[in-house]
Amino acid sequence: VQLQASGGGLVQAGGSLRLSCAASGRTFSWYACGWFRQAPGKEREFVAAISWSGGSTDYADSVKGRFTISRDNAKGTVYLQMNSLKPEDTAVYYCAAPREALGAFSSLGTEYDYWGQGTLVTVSS
């Protein structure tokens, strides 16, 4: 699975952005997907994940109520809608998928084998 993340940019605090993760190579609709982020000088952290069917989701506490993960399997794309953005959300955001199709999603980065190139989100105060 080759993943391509897009949609990052510069936004003011309180604003919104929608990230997209598109896949090629295999049927992405069969794979769970996670979003992670890495801020400068910090370790990569979990943001959100969604099951292959879209029926189950999980969020980091820091983004609950502000971010929504969803997917359109007909388009082979996973989205991360980010609202009420804060300066501390500034990071490079990565989407990832596990090796096994129809598998469970996880908040652990080590459970993912395929990673997109990342898209930069900058939130100004």
Side-chain angles (χ1 to χ4, degrees):
V1 177
Q2 291 81 44
L3 303 176
Q4 178 79 27
S6 62
L10 173 64
V11 63
Q12 288 188 331
S16 298
L17 281 174
R18 188 177 79 159
L19 306 184
S20 298
C21 179
S24 61
R26 295 185 185 180
T27 305
F28 193 32
S29 58
W30 297 347
Y31 291 83
C33 179
W35 283 98
F36 293 79
R37 67 187 181 186
Q38 186 166 20
K42 295 188 177 181
E43 293 188 354
R44 183 182 63 197
E45 65 174 357
F46 169 73
V47 175
I50 189 166
S51 62
W52 64 271
S53 67
S56 298
T57 58
D58 189 23
Y59 297 92
D61 288 343
S62 59
V63 307
K64 279 181 182 176
R66 300 188 299 122
F67 291 12
T68 302
I69 189 170
S70 62
R71 66 191 305 155
D72 184 338
N73 281 344
K75 295 182 178 180
T77 303
V78 173
Y79 303 100
L80 184 68
Q81 178 66 44
M82 306 186 296
N83 298 329
S84 302
L85 283 162
K86 304 175 181 180
E88 51 263 44
D89 294 318
T90 295
V92 177
Y93 285 71
Y94 300 89
C95 59
R99 182 178 303 276
E100 298 295 328
L102 308 181
F105 61 79
S106 173
S107 61
L108 299 176
T110 53
E111 296 294 313
Y112 293 86
D113 300 281
Y114 306 107
W115 293 82
Q117 86 289 358
T119 185
L120 176 62
V121 172
T122 303
V123 184
S124 63
S125 58

